[in-house]
Amino acid sequence: MARPPGLDSRHLFAQEYLANGRDATAAYVKTYPKCHTRNLANRKACTLLSDPIVRKIINEKLEEQRERTQITADKILQELLLIARSDISLAYNEDGTLKPIHEIPEEVRRAISGIETLEVLMGKKRGVTNKIKMWDKVAALGLLGKNLKLFTDQLNVTGTIKTIRVHSNVDTGPDE
């Protein structure tokens, strides 16, 4: 692969790493196409990821992306909270028909993942059914709970353990 002028392999690796969804091994293979084994690529990629210059490049690129997209942790949490609090009934009229999309409150529209309209023929009559799919509330609540550390996947234990060395005169057989 011909390198663009002025870019060294660490810069190329960092760009590939961010471009491919943070798959370090794939980024290494793309940067160093002569690498013949995936196992070697994986080891070398791990080494590159621990390189302070590569870490600095990756962090700078991520900061540029955050500034460009204006994405923040607060905005993500607000969207999750919107999904968790969404009320599908606000998308319907009192008679049970779906409101026109522009009449559905914005906070409900943002919690909708899709709307499917089905036309049904029953004899000579034609009926329309609208099916709304909302983003997963349980998943949103789970992510919010993790952010608040309500759920833990590991147990942290602190304290002191005193060890005692015990000697025995019992013969347990030959050492192997």
Coordinates of all heavy atoms in Angstrom, one line a residue, residues 144-176:
L144 N -28.8 3.3 31.2 CA -28.9 4.4 32.2 C -28.5 3.9 33.5 O -27.7 4.5 34.3 CB -30.3 5.0 32.2 CG -30.7 5.9 31.0 CD1 -32.2 6.2 31.1 CD2 -29.9 7.2 31.0
G145 N -29.0 2.7 33.9 CA -28.6 2.1 35.2 C -27.1 1.8 35.3 O -26.5 2.0 36.3
K146 N -26.5 1.3 34.2 CA -25.1 1.1 34.2 C -24.3 2.4 34.4 O -23.3 2.5 35.2 CB -24.6 0.4 32.9 CG -24.8 -1.0 32.9 CD -24.2 -1.6 31.6 CE -24.3 -3.1 31.6 NZ -23.7 -3.7 30.4
N147 N -24.8 3.5 33.8 CA -24.2 4.8 33.9 C -24.2 5.2 35.4 O -23.3 5.9 35.9 CB -24.8 5.8 33.0 CG -24.2 7.2 33.2 OD1 -24.7 8.0 33.9 ND2 -23.1 7.4 32.5
L148 N -25.3 4.9 36.1 CA -25.5 5.3 37.5 C -24.9 4.3 38.4 O -25.0 4.4 39.6 CB -26.9 5.5 37.8 CG -27.6 6.7 37.0 CD1 -29.1 6.7 37.3 CD2 -27.0 8.0 37.5
K149 N -24.3 3.2 37.8 CA -23.6 2.1 38.6 C -24.7 1.4 39.5 O -24.4 1.0 40.6 CB -22.4 2.6 39.4 CG -21.3 3.1 38.5 CD -20.1 3.5 39.3 CE -18.9 4.0 38.5 NZ -19.0 4.4 37.2
L150 N -25.9 1.3 39.0 CA -26.9 0.6 39.7 C -26.7 -0.9 39.6 O -27.2 -1.7 40.4 CB -28.3 0.9 39.2 CG -28.8 2.4 39.4 CD1 -30.1 2.6 38.7 CD2 -28.8 2.7 40.8
F151 N -26.1 -1.4 38.5 CA -25.9 -2.8 38.3 C -24.4 -3.0 38.2 O -23.7 -2.2 37.6 CB -26.5 -3.2 37.0 CG -27.9 -2.6 36.7 CD1 -28.1 -1.8 35.7 CD2 -28.9 -2.9 37.6 CE1 -29.4 -1.2 35.4 CE2 -30.2 -2.4 37.4 CZ -30.4 -1.5 36.3
T152 N -23.9 -4.1 38.7 CA -22.4 -4.3 38.6 C -22.2 -5.7 38.0 O -23.0 -6.7 38.4 CB -21.7 -4.2 40.0 OG1 -22.3 -5.1 40.9 CG2 -21.7 -2.8 40.5
D153 N -21.2 -5.9 37.2 CA -20.9 -7.2 36.6 C -19.8 -7.8 37.4 O -19.5 -9.0 37.2 CB -20.4 -7.0 35.2 CG -21.6 -6.5 34.3 OD1 -22.7 -6.8 34.6 OD2 -21.3 -5.9 33.2
Q154 N -19.2 -7.1 38.3 CA -18.2 -7.7 39.2 C -18.3 -7.2 40.6 O -18.9 -6.2 40.8 CB -16.8 -7.3 38.6 CG -16.5 -5.9 38.4 CD -15.2 -5.6 37.8 OE1 -14.3 -6.3 38.0 NE2 -15.1 -4.6 37.0
L155 N -17.7 -8.0 41.5 CA -17.8 -7.6 42.9 C -16.4 -7.2 43.3 O -15.4 -7.8 43.1 CB -18.2 -8.9 43.7 CG -18.2 -8.8 45.2 CD1 -19.3 -7.8 45.6 CD2 -18.5 -10.1 45.8
N156 N -16.3 -6.0 43.9 CA -15.1 -5.4 44.4 C -15.0 -5.7 45.9 O -15.9 -5.3 46.6 CB -15.0 -3.9 44.1 CG -14.9 -3.6 42.6 OD1 -14.3 -4.3 41.9 ND2 -15.6 -2.5 42.2
V157 N -13.9 -6.4 46.3 CA -13.7 -6.7 47.7 C -12.4 -6.1 48.1 O -11.4 -6.2 47.4 CB -13.6 -8.3 47.9 CG1 -13.4 -8.6 49.3 CG2 -14.9 -8.9 47.3
T158 N -12.5 -5.4 49.2 CA -11.3 -4.8 49.8 C -11.1 -5.3 51.2 O -12.0 -5.7 51.8 CB -11.4 -3.2 49.8 OG1 -12.5 -2.9 50.7 CG2 -11.6 -2.6 48.5
G159 N -9.8 -5.3 51.6 CA -9.5 -5.8 52.9 C -8.1 -6.4 52.9 O -7.4 -6.3 51.9
T160 N -7.8 -7.0 54.0 CA -6.5 -7.6 54.1 C -6.7 -9.1 54.3 O -7.6 -9.5 55.1 CB -5.8 -7.0 55.4 OG1 -5.8 -5.6 55.3 CG2 -4.3 -7.5 55.5
I161 N -5.8 -9.9 53.7 CA -5.9 -11.3 53.9 C -4.5 -11.7 54.5 O -3.5 -11.4 54.1 CB -6.0 -12.1 52.5 CG1 -7.3 -11.7 51.9 CG2 -5.9 -13.6 52.8 CD1 -7.5 -12.3 50.5
K162 N -4.6 -12.4 55.6 CA -3.5 -12.9 56.3 C -3.2 -14.3 55.9 O -4.1 -15.2 55.9 CB -3.7 -12.9 57.8 CG -2.4 -12.9 58.7 CD -2.8 -12.6 60.1 CE -1.6 -11.9 60.7 NZ -1.9 -11.4 62.0
T163 N -2.0 -14.6 55.5 CA -1.7 -16.0 55.0 C -0.8 -16.6 56.1 O 0.0 -16.0 56.8 CB -0.9 -16.0 53.7 OG1 0.3 -15.2 53.8 CG2 -1.8 -15.4 52.6
I164 N -0.9 -18.0 56.2 CA -0.2 -18.8 57.1 C 0.5 -19.9 56.4 O -0.2 -20.5 55.6 CB -1.1 -19.4 58.2 CG1 -1.9 -18.3 58.9 CG2 -0.2 -20.1 59.3 CD1 -3.0 -18.8 59.8
R165 N 1.7 -20.1 56.6 CA 2.4 -21.2 55.9 C 2.3 -22.4 56.9 O 2.7 -22.3 58.0 CB 3.9 -20.9 55.7 CG 4.6 -22.0 55.0 CD 5.9 -21.6 54.5 NE 5.6 -20.9 53.2 CZ 6.5 -20.3 52.5 NH1 7.8 -20.2 52.9 NH2 6.2 -19.7 51.4
V166 N 1.8 -23.5 56.4 CA 1.7 -24.7 57.2 C 2.6 -25.8 56.6 O 2.7 -26.0 55.4 CB 0.2 -25.3 57.1 CG1 0.1 -26.6 57.9 CG2 -0.7 -24.2 57.5
H167 N 3.4 -26.4 57.5 CA 4.3 -27.5 57.1 C 3.7 -28.8 57.6 O 3.2 -28.9 58.6 CB 5.7 -27.3 57.8 CG 6.4 -26.0 57.3 ND1 7.0 -26.0 56.1 CD2 6.5 -24.8 57.8 CE1 7.5 -24.8 55.9 NE2 7.2 -24.0 56.9
S168 N 3.9 -29.8 56.8 CA 3.4 -31.1 57.1 C 4.5 -32.2 57.0 O 5.3 -32.1 56.1 CB 2.2 -31.4 56.2 OG 1.8 -32.7 56.3
N169 N 4.4 -33.2 57.8 CA 5.3 -34.3 57.7 C 4.7 -35.5 56.9 O 5.3 -36.5 56.8 CB 5.7 -34.8 59.1 CG 6.5 -33.8 59.8 OD1 7.2 -33.0 59.1 ND2 6.5 -33.8 61.1
V170 N 3.5 -35.3 56.3 CA 2.8 -36.3 55.6 C 3.4 -36.5 54.2 O 3.6 -35.5 53.5 CB 1.3 -36.0 55.5 CG1 0.6 -37.1 54.7 CG2 0.7 -35.8 56.9
D171 N 3.7 -37.7 53.9 CA 4.3 -38.0 52.5 C 3.1 -38.1 51.5 O 2.2 -38.9 51.7 CB 5.1 -39.3 52.6 CG 5.8 -39.6 51.3 OD1 5.8 -38.7 50.4 OD2 6.2 -40.8 51.1
T172 N 3.2 -37.3 50.5 CA 2.1 -37.3 49.5 C 2.5 -38.0 48.2 O 1.9 -37.9 47.2 CB 1.7 -35.9 49.1 OG1 2.8 -35.1 48.7 CG2 1.1 -35.1 50.3
G173 N 3.6 -38.7 48.2 CA 4.0 -39.4 47.1 C 5.2 -38.7 46.4 O 5.6 -37.7 46.8
P174 N 5.6 -39.3 45.3 CA 6.8 -38.7 44.6 C 6.4 -37.4 43.9 O 5.3 -37.2 43.5 CB 7.1 -39.7 43.5 CG 5.9 -40.6 43.3 CD 5.1 -40.5 44.6
D175 N 7.3 -36.4 43.9 CA 7.2 -35.2 43.2 C 7.2 -35.4 41.7 O 8.1 -36.1 41.2 CB 8.2 -34.1 43.6 CG 8.1 -33.7 45.1 OD1 6.9 -33.8 45.6 OD2 9.1 -33.3 45.7
E176 N 6.4 -34.7 41.0 CA 6.4 -34.8 39.5 C 6.7 -33.5 38.9 O 6.3 -32.5 39.3 CB 5.1 -35.4 39.0 CG 4.9 -36.9 39.4 CD 3.7 -37.5 38.8 OE1 3.4 -37.2 37.7 OE2 3.1 -38.3 39.5

